[in-house]
């Protein structure tokens, strides 16, 4: 803007243009003028014109000289021309003296103009003094005329100079105003450009944010459907809506069937109150695809504090929510069946127990265990077992009511939580038993898996929160105890928990704890019961475990052996028995009465991976001949994993160990295993001998076993021989070995050796 709003620049431009014009016009006018002047003999005028043109040309060319210096030289040229013309031509040339004051006013200002006017007036007075005759012709006195002309000249010159000066001053002030306005406008434009640049940067950043951004105009209407006026690229990419699709529409267009209306209502309430809000809810794309968004709504107010717009910033948290849901499912739901797991059912049991304690009604817990499920896993594989468990879960979910809960506790155990059974304990129990009956009936229906048909039975224990102070753990334990009561009674049934079950369980627990200490305290011992041939001569003995507490009381084997089996103590006890048998063999041999000793081997002990190695190591350590030992196993051992059991039996038979089937005829129904296993003897269970020979059925079974064993070449031992009639019957039918109170009661090793010494 410099040069257009500065008076000095305007003067410099005018002067430069004036020099150019004067140079051109002077040249055009000077050539004919000099010719005329020379012809008329006025050579001075020709010289003046030449000097004037050269002087002006020099000022026009030397632009680098100071402006004021050049202007003064220009005025000097005019004065020179004026003086010369006055002197050569006459007073008529006084008009030239008017030009310097006017030009000085335009080019230099008021002060120089007045000075030039004074100089012009002085020159006029001096010049007019040379033309007295012409002045005298005007009348009055010559001096008066000269001063009158000079005064008129000065007034007219002052009027022109001051007018020009005043005009230029006004123009200068206007230009100053223009310059101020232009400067202010320039500053405003600079600020506007900076603001626009900042807005462009903000808009570009907002448009390219990874977060979704919507801006809606705030409206004060009952429906409060705030129209959208802006959406950024992230929103458009995620939702598929373009600006044309979304601008002008309500944010409700993003909602769908999965959107939580309670959350929407909370957001609308916050907006109605002008408060910012955050929420997580399901929105929908233009194509109808649901996605989770974390949304933050912020009001934008004007200077008066009125909300004009709402800014919505959203983040796609679909993956995070899916991960959270997956973690939640892993934490609270069973992976295989999709049912609630122990953790979730425990939380719901808390609510059930709390409701019962507060008197708001009773619920019930049904603890369900599939009977013989292991047979499916072992016989058909775990894939079939898993499919059966899934089917069981679906079946249970279909039987119970919508508000009830079905959970898988693990393995083949399920829990059903029944709620809202009323306040009457008897009525609630009847309702729980009715559901249990439906479950048994549903599980008993045929299920086809891989073209195979399966029917399941279940043992169900039922417990209700009827005891004061009963906890969730207590309730689950009670239902579990009731379920095991059904298992012990033969499976496929339902039992409601009774306090006597808990007392029995506590006795079992106490007994297991005492049994564990009994081995360390030396309370356990081994007694031996002789086995004799048909002539009553000792041919072997069975080692039997006895437990005498520290207070002298005895615990029967049929009481503590099941406890040892269920608790796992039977494994270390079995190894202890094997070592006791080896020591007894050595003691009998030293006494001169070597006998073949039989020991009972638990199925649980037999399934230990290192069982064969333990036997081998024990025999090597003791130095006992393996042929002196007979391992008695029950038929139940052969039901589970027959092939693996047979492999172990053959390995032990290779060492010299002999095998006997204990309680033969009371367990496993198939006899095919007799020809596949390395057997040495069969033991006829005492239940068959109890009424022999007077009971025809028992007698027939015994005779059949004896005949079969004879054909297979197996030795037979009959247990429970207590009468002479039984002994005579056996002597007349195959002459098996006998074991019973008729010949010998179980006794400690020392007593047995003493008896053998006496020949009794």
């Amino acid at each position: 803007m410099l040069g257009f709003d500065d008076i000095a620049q305007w003067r410099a431009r005018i002067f430069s243009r004036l020099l150019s014009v004067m140079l051109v016009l002077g040249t055009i006018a000077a050539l004919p003028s000099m010719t005329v002047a020379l012809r008329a003999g006025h050579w001075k005028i020709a010289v003046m014109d030449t000097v004037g043109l050269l002087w002006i040309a020099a000022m026009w060319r030397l632009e680098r000289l100071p402006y004021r210096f050049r202007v003064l030289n220009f005025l000097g040229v005019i004065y020179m021309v004026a003086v010369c013309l006055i002197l050569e031509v006459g007073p008529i040339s006084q008009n030239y003296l008017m030009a310097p004051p006017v030009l000085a006013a335009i080019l230099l200002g008021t002060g120089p103009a007045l000075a030039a006017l004074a100089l012009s007036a002085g020159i006029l007075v001096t010049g007019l003094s040379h033309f007295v005759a012409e002045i005298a012709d005007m009348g009055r006195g010559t001096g008066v005329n000269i001063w009158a002309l000079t005064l008129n000249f000065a007034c007219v010159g002052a009027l022109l100079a001051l007018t020009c000066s005043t005009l230029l001053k006004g123009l200068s002030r206007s230009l100053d105003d223009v310059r101020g306005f232009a400067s202010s406008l320039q500053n405003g434009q600079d600020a506007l450009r900076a603001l626009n640049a900042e807005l462009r940067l903000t808009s570009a950043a907002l448009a390219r944010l990874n977060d979704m951004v919507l801006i809606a105009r705030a409206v004060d209407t009952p429906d409060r459907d705030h129209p959208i006026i802006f959406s950024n690229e992230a929103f458009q990419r995620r939702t598929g809506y373009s600006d044309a699709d979304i601008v002008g529409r309500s944010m409700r267009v993003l909602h769908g069937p999965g959107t939580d209306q309670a959350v929407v209502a909370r957001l609308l309430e916050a907006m109605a109150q002008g408060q910012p809000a955050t929420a997580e809810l399901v929105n929908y794309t233009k194509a109808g695809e649901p996605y989770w968004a974390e949304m933050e709504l912020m009001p934008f107010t004007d200077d008066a504090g009125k909300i004009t717009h709402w800014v919505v910033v959203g983040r796609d948290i679909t993956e995070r929510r899916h991960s959270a849901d997956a973690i939640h499912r892993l934490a609270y739901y069973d992976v295989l069946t999709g049912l609630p797991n122990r953790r979730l059912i425990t939380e719901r049991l808390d609510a059930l127990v709390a409701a019962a304690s507060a008197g708001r009604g009773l619920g019930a817990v049904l603890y369900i265990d599939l009977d013989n499920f292991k047979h499916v896993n072992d016989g058909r594989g775990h894939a079939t077992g898993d499919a059966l468990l899934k089917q069981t879960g679906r079946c249970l979910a279909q039987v119970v009511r919508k508000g009830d809960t079905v959970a898988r506790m693990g393995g083949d155990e399920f829990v059903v939580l029944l709620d809202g059974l009323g306040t009457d304990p008897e009525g609630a129990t009847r309702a729980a038993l009715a559901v249990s009956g439906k479950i048994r009936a549903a599980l008993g229906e045929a299920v086809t898996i891989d073209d195979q048909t399966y029917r399941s039975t279940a043992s169900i224990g039922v417990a209700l929160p009827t005891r004061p102070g009963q906890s969730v753990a207590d309730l689950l334990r009670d239902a579990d105890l009731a379920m095991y009561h059904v298992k012990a009674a033969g499976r496929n049934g339902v039992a409601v928990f009774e306090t006597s079950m808990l007392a029995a369980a506590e006795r079992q627990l106490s007994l297991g704890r005492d049994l564990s200490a009994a081995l360390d305290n030396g309370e356990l011992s081994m007694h031996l019961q002789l086995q004799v041939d048909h002539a009553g001569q000792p041919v072997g003995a069975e080692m039997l475990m006895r437990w005498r507490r520290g207070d002298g009381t005895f615990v029967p084997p049929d009481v503590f052996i099941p406890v040892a089996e269920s608790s796992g103590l039977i494994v270390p006890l079995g190894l202890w028995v094997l070592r006791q048998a080896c020591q007894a063999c050595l003691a009998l041999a030293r006494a001169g009465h070597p006998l073949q000793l039989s020991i009972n081997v638990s199925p649980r002990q037999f399934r230990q991976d290192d069982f064969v190695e333990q036997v081998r190591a024990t025999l090597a350590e003791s130095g006992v001949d393996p042929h002196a030992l007979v391992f008695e196993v029950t038929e139940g051992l052969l039901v589970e994993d027959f092939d693996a059991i047979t492999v172990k039996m053959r390995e032990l038979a290779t060492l010299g160990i002999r095998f006997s089937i204990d309680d033969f005829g009371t367990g496993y129904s198939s006899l095919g295993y007799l020809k596949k296993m390395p057997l040495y003897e069969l033991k006829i269970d005492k239940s068959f001998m109890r009424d022999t020979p007077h009971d025809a059925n028992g007698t027939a079974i015994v005779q059949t076993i004896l005949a079969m064993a004879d054909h297979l070449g197996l030795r037979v031992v009959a247990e429970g021989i207590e009468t002479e009639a039984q002994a005579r019957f056996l002597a007349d039918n195959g002459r098996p070995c006998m074991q019973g109170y008729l010949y010998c009661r179980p006794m400690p090793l020392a007593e047995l050796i003493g008896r053998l010494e006496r020949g009794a």
Side-chain angles (χ1 to χ4, degrees):
M1 296 295 291
L2 186 60
F4 294 98
D5 58 358
D6 185 5
I7 192 65
Q9 293 296 325
W10 278 105
R11 284 171 169 165
R13 289 174 181 271
I14 292 172
F15 179 62
S16 178
R17 184 64 58 87
L18 183 61
L19 285 178
S20 299
V21 172
M22 287 292 293
L23 187 61
V24 173
L25 294 178
T27 302
I28 294 173
L31 292 176
S33 176
M34 286 189 293
T35 302
V36 173
L38 289 173
R39 287 180 180 178
H42 296 293
W43 59 270
K44 291 181 181 180
I45 294 176
V47 172
M48 176 201 66
D49 288 340
T50 302
V51 172
L53 284 174
L54 292 176
W55 200 348
I56 291 173
M59 293 301 101
W60 174 78
R61 182 66 179 173
L62 299 175
E63 292 181 354
R64 289 179 292 182
L65 292 175
Y67 167 77
R68 194 176 187 85
F69 177 77
R70 295 171 67 208
V71 170
L72 292 176
N73 275 270
F74 176 67
L75 295 177
V77 172
I78 296 174
Y79 276 124
M80 180 193 73
V81 172
V83 171
C84 289
L85 289 177
I86 290 174
L87 294 177
E88 290 294 323
V89 178
I92 195 172
S93 300
Q94 64 179 325
N95 57 336
Y96 279 94
L97 294 175
M98 187 63 68
V102 175
L103 291 174
I106 294 172
L107 298 176
L108 295 177
T110 303
L114 294 177
L117 180 61
L119 179 60
S120 294
I123 294 173
L124 181 61
V125 171
T126 303
L128 291 177
S129 300
H130 291 283
F131 300 100
V132 176
E134 288 83 348
I135 298 302
D137 291 340
M138 296 173 60
R140 293 176 290 185
T142 301
V144 173
N145 289 333
I146 291 174
W147 284 108
L149 290 172
T150 301
L151 183 60
N152 288 331
F153 173 85
C155 289
V156 173
L159 178 63
L160 292 175
L162 290 174
T163 300
C164 290
S165 178
T166 302
L167 178 63
L168 288 175
K169 284 183 178 180
L171 178 61
S172 179
R173 286 192 297 269
S174 297
L175 289 177
D176 287 340
D177 293 340
V178 169
R179 185 166 57 249
F181 174 74
S183 177
S184 175
L185 182 62
Q186 180 66 35
N187 292 335
Q189 288 179 338
D190 291 343
L192 184 60
R193 279 195 295 269
L195 181 59
N196 285 335
E198 183 177 348
L199 287 175
R200 285 194 299 271
L201 180 61
T202 303
S203 177
L206 189 64
R208 289 168 174 77
L209 278 177
N210 289 328
D211 292 341
M212 297 176 285
V213 178
L214 291 176
I215 300 177
R217 188 174 67 252
V219 295
D220 191 12
T221 58
D223 56 8
R224 294 188 178 275
D225 278 340
H226 309 281
I228 296 170
I229 64 171
F230 171 82
S231 67
N232 72 341
E233 294 177 6
F235 171 83
Q236 296 168 17
R237 285 195 306 270
R238 183 63 186 90
T239 64
Y241 286 104
S242 64
D243 267 341
D245 296 326
I246 200 69
V247 170
R249 303 180 69 179
S250 167
M251 287 184 286
R252 293 178 185 270
V253 72
L254 302 176
H255 299 168
T259 304
D260 191 339
Q261 294 305 313
V263 176
V264 174
R266 180 172 61 82
L267 292 176
L268 292 176
E269 179 64 23
M271 295 176 73
Q273 297 178 3
Q275 298 296 322
T278 59
E280 293 183 2
L281 75 166
V282 176
N283 283 339
Y284 288 80
T285 65
K286 184 179 179 181
E289 174 195 357
Y291 67 94
W292 275 96
E294 180 183 54
M295 301 180 64
E296 184 175 1
L297 281 75
M298 295 166 288
F300 184 83
T301 59
D302 58 14
D303 293 338
K306 180 182 178 181
I307 296 176
T308 60
H309 295 84
W310 285 93
V311 179
V312 183
V313 179
R315 300 171 185 84
D316 187 348
I317 59 170
T318 305
E319 184 175 350
R320 189 183 81 188
R321 286 299 298 248
H322 287 172
S323 298
D325 290 343
I327 293 172
H328 181 269
R329 290 201 64 84
L330 287 174
Y332 289 95
Y333 290 86
D334 176 56
V335 176
L336 178 64
T337 63
L339 297 173
N341 60 12
R342 180 183 293 271
R343 183 175 181 180
L344 181 54
I345 198 68
T346 300
E347 291 184 3
R348 295 184 181 179
L349 276 171
D350 278 330
L352 183 144
V353 172
S357 299
R360 296 194 300 270
L362 294 172
V365 176
L366 278 56
Y367 209 109
I368 304 167
D369 184 272
L370 300 183
D371 297 328
N372 300 316
F373 175 75
K374 192 175 186 304
H375 295 172
V376 178
N377 265 347
D378 293 342
R380 299 295 181 183
H382 288 281
T384 301
D386 289 347
L388 184 57
L389 290 174
K390 292 179 183 178
Q391 178 60 32
T392 301
R394 289 191 291 268
C395 178
L396 293 175
Q398 292 171 358
V399 170
V400 302
R401 299 167 303 174
K402 185 176 181 180
D404 298 330
T405 302
V406 178
R408 182 184 177 216
M409 302 299 283
D412 60 340
E413 294 182 343
F414 295 83
V415 165
V416 173
L417 178 60
L418 305 177
D419 200 4
L421 300 182
T423 57
D424 177 37
E426 293 184 1
T429 301
R430 286 194 299 271
L433 290 174
V435 174
S436 300
K438 293 179 181 179
I439 290 174
R440 289 182 61 207
L443 293 179
E445 295 181 0
V447 176
T448 302
I449 301 174
D450 295 334
D451 299 328
Q452 297 289 329
T453 301
Y454 300 89
R455 282 184 171 84
S456 300
T457 62
S459 300
I460 304 176
V462 180
L464 285 78
T466 55
R467 301 200 312 274
Q470 194 172 16
S471 67
V472 170
D474 294 337
L475 194 60
L476 280 175
R477 179 202 59 200
D478 294 348
D480 192 30
L481 284 174
M483 182 270 293
Y484 275 107
H485 183 79
V486 177
K487 288 282 189 184
R491 300 183 175 88
N492 191 21
V494 181
V496 179
F497 172 78
E498 298 176 358
T499 54
S500 59
M501 297 178 185
L502 179 58
E506 290 176 346
R507 285 196 301 271
Q508 290 289 93
L509 180 63
S510 177
L511 193 63
R513 184 175 59 249
D514 293 345
L515 180 59
S516 177
L519 183 60
D520 297 331
N521 297 336
E523 297 177 3
L524 298 177
S525 61
M526 297 302 299
H527 286 201
L528 291 84
Q529 186 176 26
L530 282 176
Q531 298 171 347
V532 300
D533 59 15
H534 67 281
Q537 296 299 314
V539 293
E542 180 180 4
M543 299 197 70
L544 303 170
M545 189 182 300
R546 296 292 183 262
W547 179 12
R548 183 174 184 175
R549 293 179 180 271
D551 59 4
T553 59
F554 283 94
V555 181
D558 58 352
V559 173
F560 72 81
I561 292 298
V563 174
E565 289 278 3
S566 62
S567 64
L569 284 173
I570 197 67
V571 175
L573 287 178
L575 183 58
W576 177 78
V577 168
L578 176 60
R579 290 171 177 164
Q580 292 293 310
C582 290
Q583 294 176 10
C585 283
L586 295 176
L588 288 168
R590 286 195 298 268
H593 303 287
L595 291 175
Q596 183 174 264
L597 300 183
S598 299
I599 61 174
N600 291 280
V601 179
S602 164
R604 190 163 186 171
Q605 183 183 2
F606 215 102
R607 294 189 199 100
Q608 297 297 309
D609 293 336
D610 59 347
F611 177 62
V612 175
E613 293 302 321
Q614 287 182 353
V615 173
R616 182 182 287 112
T618 302
L619 293 175
E621 180 183 350
S622 64
V624 171
D625 182 5
H627 292 87
L629 296 177
V630 177
F631 284 2
E632 294 186 4
V633 296
T634 60
E635 290 179 286
L637 173 66
L638 309 177
V639 176
E640 301 176 359
D641 205 358
F642 177 82
D643 293 335
I645 296 298
T646 303
V647 169
K648 289 184 180 180
M649 291 180 69
R650 293 189 183 280
E651 290 182 22
L652 292 171
T654 301
L655 296 178
I657 301 293
R658 297 174 177 179
F659 287 94
S660 172
I661 300 298
D662 196 13
D663 302 330
F664 183 76
T666 61
Y668 198 41
S669 59
S670 175
L671 300 178
Y673 66 87
L674 293 177
K675 64 180 181 179
K676 297 179 181 179
M677 300 176 64
L679 295 179
Y680 168 68
E681 78 177 17
L682 301 178
K683 295 191 74 173
I684 301 175
D685 188 68
K686 57 186 177 183
S687 62
F688 297 126
M689 296 302 306
R690 183 174 297 115
D691 296 323
T692 300
H694 309 295
D695 177 63
N697 293 330
T699 301
I701 291 174
V702 172
Q703 288 174 329
T704 301
I705 294 174
L706 290 172
M708 179 180 62
D710 182 59
H711 285 293
L712 295 174
L714 298 177
R715 172 177 138 163
V716 178
V717 176
E719 294 184 294
I721 307 304
E722 298 181 356
T723 66
E724 292 288 349
Q726 293 170 336
R728 285 195 301 269
F729 169 78
L730 293 174
D732 295 337
N733 290 274
R735 295 183 175 183
C737 297
M738 296 172 285
Q739 177 181 340
Y741 287 173
L742 178 63
Y743 299 102
C744 180
R745 288 181 175 272
M747 61 185 63
L749 176 60
E751 293 185 15
L752 180 63
I753 292 176
R755 176 171 178 170
L756 292 174
E757 290 289 346
R758 295 192 299 272

